[in-house]
Amino acid sequence: MDSGVPATPPQQYAAAGRIPLAVVVVDGDGLVSHWSTGARRLFGATKEQAVGQPAVELLPVSGALTEDGEYDAYDGYDGLGPGLDASLNGLTSYPAAGRARLSEPGRERVDVLWWAYPMVGPGDERLLVLAADAGQFGGEDESVERIAPGFALHTEFPGFDELARRLPEILPSMSVQESTRIVSQVLDLGYPVLEFSHHDRVPVTPDWGVPRRAERKERQRAAAEAAAAGQAVETADLEQDLEYAAVRERLEFLNEVSGRIGSSLDLARTIQEVSAAVVPRFTDVAGTYLREQVIAGEGFPDGPPDATTMWHRVAVEHVDEPGRWDDVVPVGESMPFPEHTPFFQCMTTGDPVLVPRISEQMGNAIASQFEKRDIRPLINNRSMLVVPLKARHVVLGFMILLRHAERALFNDMDRVTGAELAARAGLVLDNARMYTYQESVAETLQDSMLPQVTPRMAGCDTATRYLPGTLLGRVGGDWFDSIKLPGSRTALVVGDVMGHGLNSAAMMGQLRTAVQTMAALDLPPEQLLRNLDDLAQRLGEHYLATCLYAVYDPIRNELRLGNAGHVPPVIVRAADGRSELLELPTGAPIGVGGVPFESVRVAVAPGDRLVMCTDGLVEVRGEDIGVGLATLCESAAHPAASMDEACDTIIRSLAASFPEAGRGGRKDDVALLMARLNGIDAESVAAFELSLEPREAARARRLVRGQLRAWGLAEVTETAELLVSELVTNAVRHARGRRAELRLVRAGSLLCEVADEDHTLPTLLDARPDGERGRGLRVVSSLAREWGTSRTSDGKTVWFELALP
């Protein structure tokens, strides 16, 4: 936008984007807030004279009003002077362009080409007017007489980059933020261009720029002149040219919209993209409704929607003043639509419904379903188009499109355009819906496979974190577990099936179940991993898994660990806060086959913390895993107020150390298990040896009564005596062997165990009313908080827990 115009043909001006423009900014009160140097040259007033004055007085539409109050036609551009007047008075809310004749007393009339852009968003600016002197082109060339302003897609016209660069330069009184906002809206709504002839016509959207009526009048005038000169006139060709241009513009619009939507599989973002693509270019208001099953990512019931189908309002985009629609039609509301409405017709037939103008009667019918909220001022006398959003012959929702009364009515071509737009949007929405559904299924599957780890167990507190990766549906093969073992011990497990997706998750579920089953047999870590490897071989040859299995004995203050190719654990010593990686025999991953496993014993002290994780936490592609392990050690040693905070500290530290993973999304799952090894002091453990004789049941009751009295647990003494008596009686009656052991452990709850030398596990029987047996374990099951049985290397253990007051 130069201060002067070189002697270049007008077609070259447009191609180079070098049309000198006047730039005027009008605020919400209709007063000029910016007046460029080009505006001074074109309209005569200085900046000091113009700023703060009504825009309609500085840009007079002259010679247009007749005695009856109507505007005279001006060389085929009738109605465009009033269009500028309407824009200056804030009567339009969409971009407009036209040709007007301006004059002032004592000045020669000036023919002006203009473009008006209503501004939305924060700030006082409400209208940007760009204008050019049509007389600057000069000459008698026929094409000059047919110069008309319009808009073209900025990506398809070579001058847009200069507009973007130069427009802020001629808005010096504005901040960078304000001028950038204006420029972005101009480029978004269309680059101002000129039409020189039907041979050099740039894309112009009829609803924005020169109305097709003006084009038709211009062509008719040219045809009349040709006929008067004795030249042949093909009127059909003229009409065909106009129709072809309109179709081309619609296709260009649809092509642009298609490129703007579908950039994400996020349902909310997709809806926002669709709404922003049509407002204000195609419509002034766009309300989007979706079936509730789409929002929830669920399937649909059989048959078409009916009057009971609930529709969820997910977006309302408009060019009206902020907040005008929010109270009347708030986003998030669900409602059905009665049969008499055009919305019901659209959703049941799957076809667009065109209402050229909403009558008062129709407005009342539509407003009746909104109860006390009067929606009539927002819809009456507006043109409406309802288009279905559908995919695979299923209506997912619909869009209600409204145009202001002063804008051109929706027509049949708009209905075709809207239907095509909705069809493309429907496919994108359905893809987003399916993705939402698959994510929901994946999360449900993953949650069902991961255990609910008890935060407090005998002599041990635990905390866990699971972070799904971003690949393949957020489903992976990482898992953790804690399993209660005889003797107040706890098994701590972390594993990782190599790979991602449902197959890995299914394999993980099988291995996790197998570990729980084998842990109940009280197998040592090396034997458990050996059996797990054999099982993986039988399940298939295509899966490998790593696993770290640790057994914590809080009475002996000892860890026994076995490793199958897994990331080594970290131990944080309570005495000095020092952390270290435990050196374990690595072992081969589960599924390799034929490889021996070993276990090691590690002495621990009360308060020590054990940190176990999968490699997704410490390994990033392109980085040495040693860096991640060192960071894990360092972050695990940080003091924290709770176990949960300690886990969060580790996650944050590793994320900060590998920002590349944060930018690209975590590709692998992360499982983290932290255990604080509290231990159980010797004073809280009592063990008694029993012989398998009938009199031992009475002796066991006396031993329990005396020990609980010493511990000050009189409230649970009676129940504990009864249940221990039942377990000892069962051992006397059914166990093979000569001895048994009774052990009482006080650690947050009262744990009672009876161990004998028989491997046969007792079962819960259905005791008959007249039966003499089968009630012992039923009593235990009824009165104990928890109970269970476990095989051991020497026999079995039957145990129960009682809550302490």
Side-chain angles (χ1 to χ4, degrees):
M1 285 165 277
D2 299 334
S3 58
V5 181
T8 309
Q11 290 90 338
Q12 295 185 29
Y13 295 151
R18 298 178 62 86
I19 303 299
L21 295 178
V23 182
V24 180
V25 179
V26 183
D27 63 19
D29 297 324
L31 304 180
V32 172
S33 62
H34 178 75
W35 188 263
S36 72
T37 302
R40 177 182 61 79
R41 293 172 177 169
L42 182 59
F43 301 117
T46 66
K47 178 179 179 180
E48 292 73 16
Q49 294 171 332
V51 173
Q53 299 301 312
V56 292
E57 296 179 4
L58 296 167
L59 309 176
V61 180
S62 66
L65 286 175
T66 61
E67 293 181 357
D68 58 359
E70 297 293 334
Y71 283 94
D72 281 336
Y74 168 61
D75 292 340
Y77 292 91
D78 55 316
L80 293 183
L84 176 59
D85 195 31
S87 297
L88 293 174
N89 284 282
L91 301 179
T92 60
S93 57
Y94 54 92
R99 184 168 181 168
R101 175 170 292 173
L102 310 181
S103 70
E104 286 184 293
R107 273 194 78 188
E108 184 180 353
R109 287 185 175 184
V110 178
D111 292 340
V112 174
L113 305 172
W114 59 268
W115 299 262
Y117 296 85
M119 297 288 103
V120 297
D124 297 330
E125 301 78 23
R126 284 295 172 261
L127 185 71
L128 172 69
V129 178
L130 306 178
D133 182 359
Q136 67 181 320
F137 299 100
E140 300 299 328
D141 190 283
E142 180 185 359
S143 65
V144 175
E145 298 181 8
R146 288 202 293 269
I147 294 174
F151 299 87
L153 305 180
H154 63 81
T155 56
E156 299 177 0
F157 204 81
F160 86 93
D161 53 349
E162 184 165 342
L163 176 69
R165 185 176 71 252
R166 298 296 302 276
L167 188 56
E169 296 178 9
I170 54 176
L171 298 173
S173 62
M174 295 186 178
S175 68
V176 174
Q177 182 178 4
E178 291 172 331
S179 62
T180 300
R181 178 172 65 86
I182 290 178
V183 172
S184 65
Q185 291 189 48
V186 170
L187 298 183
D188 220 21
L189 298 173
Y191 172 72
V193 295
L194 298 178
E195 175 188 358
F196 299 100
S197 70
H198 72 273
H199 298 295
D200 302 302
R201 190 169 183 272
V202 299
V204 176
T205 303
D207 294 332
W208 285 13
V210 181
R212 290 180 60 192
R213 179 181 56 173
E215 294 181 353
R216 188 161 49 251
K217 286 181 176 293
E218 173 63 18
R219 291 176 181 272
Q220 290 172 351
R221 185 182 66 80
E225 292 178 353
Q231 302 174 2
V233 178
E234 295 290 341
T235 56
D237 291 343
L238 294 176
E239 295 296 330
Q240 185 176 3
D241 286 346
L242 288 174
E243 200 67 30
Y244 169 77
V247 171
R248 184 183 65 180
E249 290 159 7
R250 301 306 173 105
L251 291 176
E252 290 168 345
F253 167 66
L254 290 172
N255 183 58
E256 182 185 1
V257 170
S258 297
R260 294 176 59 181
I261 65 177
S263 64
S264 168
L265 288 176
D266 178 78
L267 191 61
R269 182 174 175 181
T270 299
I271 295 167
Q272 183 182 11
E273 290 173 344
V274 173
S275 301
V278 298
V279 177
R281 181 165 183 178
F282 186 69
T283 184
D284 297 314
V285 181
T288 305
Y289 290 77
L290 296 180
R291 295 174 75 166
E292 291 192 326
Q293 293 90 342
V294 177
I295 304 298
E298 300 173 351
F300 298 102
D302 294 335
D306 56 31
T308 65
T309 302
M310 299 299 293
W311 300 86
H312 194 80
R313 188 182 301 113
V314 294
V316 177
E317 187 80 13
H318 60 86
V319 296
D320 295 335
E321 57 269 21
R324 187 180 183 190
W325 288 79
D326 297 346
D327 295 334
V328 181
V329 286
V331 171
E333 183 181 43
S334 294
M335 61 191 308
F337 286 94
E339 296 182 2
H340 64 268
T341 61
F343 320 118
F344 183 87
Q345 179 184 348
C346 173
M347 68 191 189
T348 53
T349 64
D351 297 323
V353 177
L354 173 63
V355 180
R357 188 80 72 181
I358 298 178
S359 64
E360 182 176 350
Q361 180 181 2
M362 177 177 286
N364 293 337
I366 295 175
S368 63
Q369 61 190 328
F370 287 87
E371 299 179 350
K372 298 181 180 179
R373 292 169 292 169
D374 190 2
I375 196 176
R376 290 174 296 179
L378 297 177
I379 63 174
N380 281 4
N381 205 36
R382 292 192 175 187
S383 183
M384 180 172 69
L385 180 62
V386 187
V387 293
L389 301 169
K390 59 183 180 180
R392 294 191 289 271
H393 308 293
V394 175
V395 176
L396 309 176
F398 56 87
M399 294 185 72
I400 302 174
L401 309 178
L402 297 171
R403 283 182 179 170
H404 290 164
E406 64 272 14
R407 192 168 179 176
L409 302 179
F410 284 117
N411 54 33
D412 287 336
M413 184 173 289
D414 293 321
R415 175 162 49 186
V416 174
T417 303
E420 179 63 24
L421 167 69
R424 301 184 187 192
L427 291 175
V428 174
L429 286 173
D430 193 47
N431 288 337
R433 178 187 71 86
M434 290 299 297
Y435 179 75
T436 301
Y437 173 73
Q438 290 173 0
E439 272 208 324
S440 176
V441 170
E443 291 178 1
T444 301
L445 175 63
Q446 195 77 60
D447 290 344
S448 67
M449 289 184 171
L450 290 174
Q452 300 297 320
V453 173
T454 304
R456 289 186 176 274
M457 302 184 74
C460 177
D461 297 339
T462 59
T464 61
R465 290 291 183 274
Y466 178 79
L467 304 176
T470 57
L471 291 178
L472 299 177
R474 299 166 59 89
V475 178
D478 292 21
W479 89 93
F480 50 75
D481 215 340
S482 64
I483 307 166
K484 185 178 295 185
L485 300 179
S488 303
R489 295 170 302 150
T490 301
L492 303 169
V493 191
V494 171
D496 182 4
V497 176
M498 297 182 184
H500 300 84
L502 292 176
N503 290 334
S504 295
M507 183 69 175
M508 176 267 283
Q510 297 179 80
L511 295 182
R512 175 177 167 252
T513 301
V515 169
Q516 288 183 322
T517 303
M518 289 186 283
L521 299 177
D522 201 18
L523 298 177
E526 66 274 15
Q527 185 59 52
L528 183 142
L529 294 177
R530 171 76 273 146
N531 293 353
L532 196 63
D533 183 59
D534 293 339
L535 174 64
Q537 290 287 309
R538 294 193 297 273
L539 292 176
E541 300 177 355
H542 306 292
Y543 293 100
L544 296 175
T546 63
C547 183
L548 179 63
Y549 183 81
V551 177
Y552 172 54
D553 189 332
I555 298 175
R556 294 183 177 179
N557 284 311
E558 180 184 80
L559 281 171
R560 189 175 181 184
L561 304 102
N563 190 6
H566 199 78
V567 176
V570 173
I571 189 78
V572 182
R573 301 295 182 178
D576 54 10
R578 179 175 51 87
S579 63
E580 61 177 312
L581 282 174
L582 292 181
E583 295 184 5
L584 307 177
T586 303
I590 300 298
V592 171
V595 179
F597 296 96
E598 302 178 46
S599 64
V600 297
R601 297 179 186 270
V602 178
V604 294
D608 289 354
R609 285 183 288 132
L610 180 69
V611 180
M612 307 163 65
C613 69
T614 54
D615 59 4
L617 181 63
V618 296
E619 190 175 39
V620 175
R621 181 169 298 181
E623 296 286 346
D624 190 332
I625 192 173
V627 178
L629 291 174
T631 305
L632 175 64
C633 277
E634 181 182 353
S635 59
H638 289 172
S642 66
M643 295 280 285
D644 285 327
E645 289 189 13
C647 287
D648 293 337
T649 297
I650 292 175
I651 297 293
R652 287 194 300 268
S653 298
L654 268 297
S657 299
F658 299 112
E660 305 84 9
R663 288 193 296 268
R666 188 186 304 102
K667 302 300 189 295
D668 202 1
D669 309 325
V670 171
L672 173 65
L673 172 63
M674 180 182 293
R676 183 166 54 211
L677 312 176
N678 299 319
I680 299 175
D681 58 85
E683 290 75 16
S684 296
V685 181
F688 309 98
E689 189 170 328
L690 304 175
S691 61
L692 296 181
E693 299 178 6
R695 65 174 182 273
E696 289 295 81
R699 177 171 172 257
R701 287 195 296 270
R702 291 195 303 272
L703 292 172
V704 170
R705 185 166 53 251
Q707 186 61 57
L708 296 187
R709 185 185 300 115
W711 285 343
L713 300 177
E715 293 88 345
V716 297
T717 298
E718 184 177 350
T719 302
E721 281 188 65
L722 173 60
L723 301 188
V724 166
S725 177
E726 293 294 342
L727 297 187
V728 172
T729 299
N730 276 349
V732 170
R733 287 180 176 176
H734 304 291
R736 299 185 183 126
R738 304 181 59 181
R739 56 176 296 278
E741 182 184 62
L742 168 64
R743 181 155 66 168
L744 306 177
V745 180
R746 179 186 58 178
S749 63
L750 179 64
L751 174 64
C752 303
E753 298 178 330
V754 175
D756 59 50
E757 298 172 331
D758 191 345
H759 290 278
T760 304
L761 299 179
T763 57
L764 192 64
L765 300 178
D766 184 12
R768 298 179 178 276
D770 57 348
E772 297 181 0
R773 297 184 178 183
R775 292 184 175 83
L777 289 182
R778 284 199 166 273
V779 172
V780 175
S781 177
S782 299
L783 299 180
R785 186 176 71 177
E786 286 186 82
W787 77 280
T789 62
S790 301
R791 284 193 174 93
T792 65
S793 58
D794 300 325
K796 69 172 179 294
T797 297
V798 184
W799 57 270
F800 67 84
E801 277 189 13
L802 295 176
L804 295 180

